[in-house]
Amino acid sequence: RRLNDLIKRAKAARIHSLIVSYLKSQLPMIGKDAKKKDLIKHLDVVFETVQNQYGVPAADFPDLDVMKEKLRKQDFTKFPNYDKALIAKVDKMLAEDIPRIMSLLPGEEQEKNRMGLGTIKGGVFEKVAMPYGKGIDAGIGENIWIVTRDKSKYDDIFNNLEQQNGKITGRIARDELVKSKLSNNVLGKIWRLADHDQDGLLDNEEFALAMHLIKVKCEGSQLPEELPAHLIPPTQRFFKFMKIKLERCSPFSLVTEKELIRSR
């Protein structure tokens, strides 16, 4: 629970840093007070701009009205400038350091084992040193999410796609994923594996995961029926997900538009 609180605070610090640094960057040399009032009035537009520019999930943003009230009492000129190095440190903590801490906590490891997310043991895995694996198993035992190696490339693609609250729809994802020339059946499976939170949308991590799975498949490896623990997006590893036995909607399924709407 404390780690989850730490994650929430880290995300809150990150998004607040991005917001206030953006607000400061918009102040003109003359007429700062008027611009401040205009920025607060259109804070929803500021949120949308920050979201699109940095790929921040909509859920990470603070309450709009509460933020407006707090900003009215602040001097925007005293806000810190955008610190790329600081943001990178926070991102590294969320993607690498927190998972490493999790692996050192016996109680958390037991919980992961009960959830089926623990380290694979038995058989050939007892005869090799972790990290180990190739294809879909590449990255097992590593502290860094294997997808991170190519994520900057995938982020460049994602950031140029039409988004809704920091996520892309099945229609947008389909148009990009079909460029791999893989069959609809394979792409449908990749969609189901990548949409880990099962919300019918892909955020930047889930999209990067989908691209990684495409890469794995194109290199000749088979795809699993369930997403392996080491491939779960870092920001989703710390929360428990109920396994809902409902058929998920894939943009590669042969369904009508009305069926798609009803299934959401």
Side-chain angles (χ1 to χ4, degrees), residues 158 161-162 168-179 187 191 200-202 207 210-211 214 251-252:
F158 182 84
L161 299 176
E162 179 184 339
I168 60 174
T169 63
R171 177 182 61 82
I172 298 299
R174 174 191 170 90
D175 291 344
E176 185 63 35
L177 301 187
V178 293
K179 295 178 182 179
L187 290 175
W191 169 272
L201 303 167
L202 298 184
F207 176 76
M211 298 298 286
I214 286 175
F252 303 97

Side-chain angles (χ1 to χ4, degrees), residues 5-22:
D5 290 340
L6 174 61
I7 294 167
K8 291 179 181 178
R9 291 188 180 190
K11 287 184 175 182
R14 180 179 187 273
I15 186 57
H16 278 81
S17 176
L18 294 175
I19 292 172
V20 299
S21 62
Y22 176 82

Side-chain angles (χ1 to χ4, degrees), residues 161-195:
L161 299 176
E162 179 184 339
Q163 300 177 23
Q164 295 181 3
N165 297 323
K167 296 188 176 185
I168 60 174
T169 63
R171 177 182 61 82
I172 298 299
R174 174 191 170 90
D175 291 344
E176 185 63 35
L177 301 187
V178 293
K179 295 178 182 179
S180 66
K181 305 300 182 182
L182 294 173
S183 69
N184 278 0
N185 286 338
V186 172
L187 290 175
K189 187 172 187 178
I190 288 174
W191 169 272
R192 291 190 293 272
L193 291 170
D195 182 22

Side-chain angles (χ1 to χ4, degrees), residues 128-144:
V128 296
M130 295 298 184
Y132 170 80
K134 57 184 179 180
I136 199 66
D137 293 329
I140 289 179
E142 293 187 14
N143 290 325
I144 300 176

Side-chain angles (χ1 to χ4, degrees), residues 180-227:
S180 66
K181 305 300 182 182
L182 294 173
S183 69
N184 278 0
N185 286 338
V186 172
L187 290 175
K189 187 172 187 178
I190 288 174
W191 169 272
R192 291 190 293 272
L193 291 170
D195 182 22
H196 186 254
D197 59 7
Q198 302 181 16
D199 65 351
L201 303 167
L202 298 184
D203 61 21
N204 66 324
E205 285 186 340
E206 292 172 326
F207 176 76
L209 174 59
M211 298 298 286
H212 175 76
L213 293 173
I214 286 175
K215 177 183 176 182
V216 168
K217 181 62 179 177
C218 289
E219 290 177 347
S221 297
Q222 295 300 312
L223 297 175
E225 294 303 317
E226 299 291 336
L227 187 67

